[in-house]
Amino acid sequence: MPRTASRLWSLLVVAVVAIAPAFGQASAPTAVESSAARVRVDELLREGRKFESGEQWGEALSHYEEALRDFPNDRTLIERHDQARIHFDVGRRYHDESFRRAVGSLTRSDALAIYNDVLLKIESHYVHSPNYGQLVEHGRAMLDTALVKPSFAEQNLRGIDREQVVAFREEVRRTVAARGARNRFETREVVAEVADLGAKRLGLPTSATILEFTCGAAASLDHYSTYLTADQLRDVFSQIEGNFVGLGIEIKAADDALLLVHVIPGSPAAIAGLRTGERIVAVDGRSAKGVTTDGAASLLQGVEGSICTLSVVSATGETRELRVRRANVDVPSIENAKMLDAKTGMAYMKVASFQKTTARDLDTALWQLHNAGMRSLVIDLRGNPGGLLTAAVEIADRFVSSGTIVSTRGRSPQEDFNYTAHRVGTWQVPLVVLVDGDSASASEIFAAAIQDNRRGTIVGRRSYGKGSVQGIFPLNLVGMEDGGGVRLTTAKFYGPSGRPISGAGVTPDVAVQRTAKPIAETGAIPADGEDADLLAAQQVLQRQ
């Protein structure tokens, strides 16, 4: 399928690592600051409501995620974020063929087996002890939302009138509130009772009810734990492997079209002539107007070898039609490795993600740059959302000769690891690492390892503040092809100095502000160059 620009799916370090919101420490605000903050929060809420009213739940979710980075403790923003996520999750699932197939094929006992397996994995691996009442209540909220979604009703509630649904929702609220749940067994009993109630009152498939509770249980844990449909599970493993079947584009919904955020070099899209910044206005004759990013992903996906016809508008307004054949796409983790200054030997490379091939790709790029005369290096992690924890460790090990790279700590001792560097094969060139607010998870592991071991200089802006490790657990139940999997936060990670990354991020040694204030006022390098971060990196290396 096409790569999308959704941060919800891209922010992970799999150990497999995920993200925690970047909640920093701040001094007590003055009354004026509090008043200004309230005005800004109200403005953000109005903007979010616009997305909600247009049923743009993916965009609403991204909006509230960004808002919570600035106002992490605002209760209303948190509530809207959680509601947007529930709507987004339900809509995404019912646009997923593997999930719809599971709802239609799983028996009551099969669905309960999946639910029970998710509870077992939460008990065994989640970083905190689970609150069973919270698991059930969030599942009820998932079901409550699903019952009013057209996509859910189309598959599960044909011929059922609105009054029946309203009455059932209220009955479920009373049932869950009256029963309570203190352990896995009581939790399973409550869900089974609600499933039977849905079948009796609405003719609702028991599998549909139980799977909503399953998804709710995982989603209730934190913002980055989630149930994965069979197709989503395959997509996650494709990201880890660095290849997938599709067109090779990253997209987002914008201005009644699909904006091409990135075209992967060498992909079918690139070969067909698609360019970053262009807009797709129709897919196979269907207008992209009003299509969400995730809806577009469904339109664009298909089997290997199939043809997709796109109507594309260029930056100059020219419209053309392109036929693109879907194929296996290898996603490069290292991009644009080049010499910035052949005379001084200053080299550059961008690490786009941390996947299984990253260490191999890095070695290839480093030797190419070495043969071209590299004497210093800029590694660009801006916008890098993360990936494999082990890949981040392997990359750091290429530059740190000894000492700790990262430590993880979980509820279970089996999640406690100390990853250390090995002196063999270490590159000693002077090093600068570029980071920004979108550098997350594995990017922060690498940046913290470089900074804490005093191996290089970090330049840019404070990173995202991810600090949790996630594991991917397939639900391998006998005879079930569409059981999917679950992604759970299993541990927190810490830099070599022992500092937590969650909520703090990595603060650059050289801050580059996105303002044009004089250096005397801010102590930072002004951003009036074409790429102020890169300019600052070059200045650091020149001084060295």
Side-chain angles (χ1 to χ4, degrees):
M1 64 180 292
R3 297 173 71 193
T4 72
S6 169
R7 291 189 62 80
L8 182 67
W9 289 99
S10 60
L11 295 177
L12 62 146
V13 169
V14 200
V16 195
V17 178
I19 304 306
F23 302 162
Q25 298 294 323
S27 58
T30 65
V32 174
E33 289 171 336
S34 297
S35 176
R38 187 68 255 165
V39 170
R40 178 56 181 153
V41 168
D42 289 342
E43 181 183 337
L44 289 167
L45 287 169
R46 284 194 297 272
E47 292 171 2
R49 292 287 189 181
K50 290 180 182 178
F51 288 123
E52 292 183 33
S53 62
E55 295 287 319
Q56 297 174 282
W57 294 108
E59 287 73 12
L61 181 58
S62 296
H63 172 77
Y64 290 128
E65 285 175 346
E66 291 297 322
L68 284 170
R69 293 176 65 183
D70 293 328
F71 303 99
N73 300 314
D74 187 88
R75 188 173 300 277
T76 307
L77 282 174
I78 293 171
E79 290 173 355
R80 296 322 308 159
H81 170 277
D82 292 348
Q83 276 299 305
R85 185 185 178 188
I86 289 174
H87 279 274
F88 174 81
D89 283 351
V90 173
R92 188 182 183 103
R93 286 195 294 277
Y94 275 88
H95 279 92
D96 185 311
E97 178 58 36
S98 68
F99 185 78
R100 294 197 302 270
R101 191 165 57 242
V103 171
S105 64
L106 293 177
T107 66
R108 178 182 184 275
S109 60
D110 288 340
L112 283 173
I114 289 175
Y115 185 64
N116 190 63
D117 197 31
V118 169
L119 294 180
L120 279 170
K121 286 176 167 53
I122 291 172
E123 285 185 353
S124 301
H125 301 287
Y126 187 60
V127 67
H128 302 301
S129 297
N131 179 327
Y132 292 98
Q134 177 180 297
L135 301 189
V136 174
E137 175 54 29
H138 205 86
R140 184 206 62 78
M142 280 281 189
L143 177 63
D144 194 66
T145 299
L147 286 165
V148 297
K149 300 290 274 189
S151 55
F152 181 92
E154 181 182 350
Q155 177 159 341
N156 303 308
L157 295 173
R158 291 184 179 180
I160 304 299
D161 62 46
R162 183 176 181 276
E163 288 72 19
Q164 289 175 282
V165 173
V166 170
F168 175 65
R169 292 170 73 194
E170 182 56 36
E171 189 172 6
V172 171
R173 286 192 185 93
R174 293 195 304 269
T175 300
V176 169
R179 286 292 306 272
R182 295 164 296 180
N183 54 50
R184 175 165 53 90
F185 305 103
E186 292 180 356
T187 299
R188 187 179 182 278
E189 288 175 2
V190 173
V191 171
E193 181 178 339
V194 173
D196 292 340
L197 194 63
K200 181 178 180 181
R201 298 286 188 265
L202 305 177
L204 185 63
T206 52
S207 58
T209 299
I210 295 165
L211 286 176
E212 289 306 311
F213 275 93
T214 303
C215 298
S220 72
L221 301 171
D222 56 57
H223 289 169
Y224 309 101
S225 296
T226 189
Y227 172 80
L228 300 169
T229 70
D231 283 351
Q232 289 169 354
L233 182 64
R234 282 188 284 271
D235 288 343
V236 168
F237 285 130
S238 292
Q239 292 177 32
I240 293 169
E241 295 291 341
N243 62 73
F244 62 94
V245 171
L247 306 183
I249 57 177
E250 293 182 19
I251 55 173
K252 71 175 181 180
D255 299 327
D256 295 330
L258 305 173
L259 178 66
L260 287 170
V261 177
H262 181 58
V263 178
I264 298 173
S267 67
I271 294 170
L274 284 169
R275 293 182 289 274
T276 298
E278 293 185 319
R279 293 178 300 123
I280 298 173
V281 295
V283 179
D284 290 330
R286 176 176 172 179
S287 172
K289 184 176 181 179
V291 176
T292 65
T293 299
D294 290 287
S298 297
L299 283 176
L300 293 168
Q301 68 185 1
V303 299
E304 185 172 5
S306 60
I307 299 294
C308 184
T309 302
L310 306 176
S311 297
V312 181
V313 177
S314 69
T316 60
E318 176 190 357
T319 302
R320 67 189 192 281
E321 282 208 352
L322 295 175
R323 287 168 54 83
V324 186
R325 184 181 298 275
R326 298 178 180 91
N328 189 72
V329 178
D330 290 322
V331 184
S333 56
I334 307 296
E335 298 179 357
N336 203 21
K338 62 183 180 181
M339 297 299 297
L340 291 174
D341 187 338
K343 183 177 180 181
T344 63
M346 191 181 300
Y348 167 94
M349 68 170 66
K350 181 173 181 62
V351 181
S353 62
F354 290 87
Q355 56 199 38
K356 279 190 175 181
T357 63
T358 302
R360 182 192 67 199
D361 295 343
L362 179 80
D363 289 340
T364 299
L366 284 172
W367 282 110
Q368 289 175 345
L369 293 172
H370 172 75
N371 293 334
M374 175 180 68
R375 294 168 58 190
S376 62
L377 176 64
V378 177
I379 294 182
D380 190 350
L381 297 181
R382 292 174 297 177
N384 183 321
L388 284 172
L389 181 149
T390 51
V393 171
E394 290 172 347
I395 300 308
D397 199 16
R398 299 298 197 273
F399 299 97
V400 177
S401 60
S402 61
T404 300
I405 291 176
V406 67
S407 300
T408 65
R409 297 291 181 267
R411 177 163 58 102
S412 168
Q414 67 187 27
E415 302 296 343
D416 296 349
F417 293 98
N418 295 314
Y419 297 88
T420 58
H422 306 83
R423 189 172 300 276
V424 177
T426 304
W427 291 79
Q428 299 294 339
V429 293
L431 183 65
V432 168
V433 179
L434 301 182
V435 298
D436 64 8
D438 292 323
S439 303
S441 75
S443 296
E444 296 174 291
I445 289 175
F446 178 82
I450 297 301
Q451 187 176 61
D452 286 1
N453 285 293
R454 299 185 178 182
R455 175 58 186 84
T457 303
I458 310 300
V459 171
R461 287 156 301 290
R462 185 168 70 91
S463 64
Y464 192 89
K466 175 251 167 271
S468 58
V469 181
Q470 291 187 315
I472 303 297
F473 303 95
L475 302 173
N476 295 321
L477 303 177
V478 176
M480 297 187 197
E481 295 183 359
D482 295 318
V486 65
R487 184 171 66 200
L488 299 175
T489 299
T490 59
K492 303 289 186 179
F493 68 78
Y494 302 83
S497 65
R499 57 171 167 159
I501 303 301
S502 180
V506 177
T507 301
D509 303 304
V510 178
V512 181
Q513 304 293 344
R514 288 306 186 190
T515 66
K517 293 181 179 179
I519 294 176
E521 288 186 27
T522 64
I525 297 171
D528 27 344
E530 208 173 279
D531 188 337
D533 299 332
L534 188 55
L535 173 63
Q538 291 174 297
Q539 291 175 357
V540 168
L541 291 176
Q542 287 166 358
R543 286 196 297 270
Q544 292 180 357

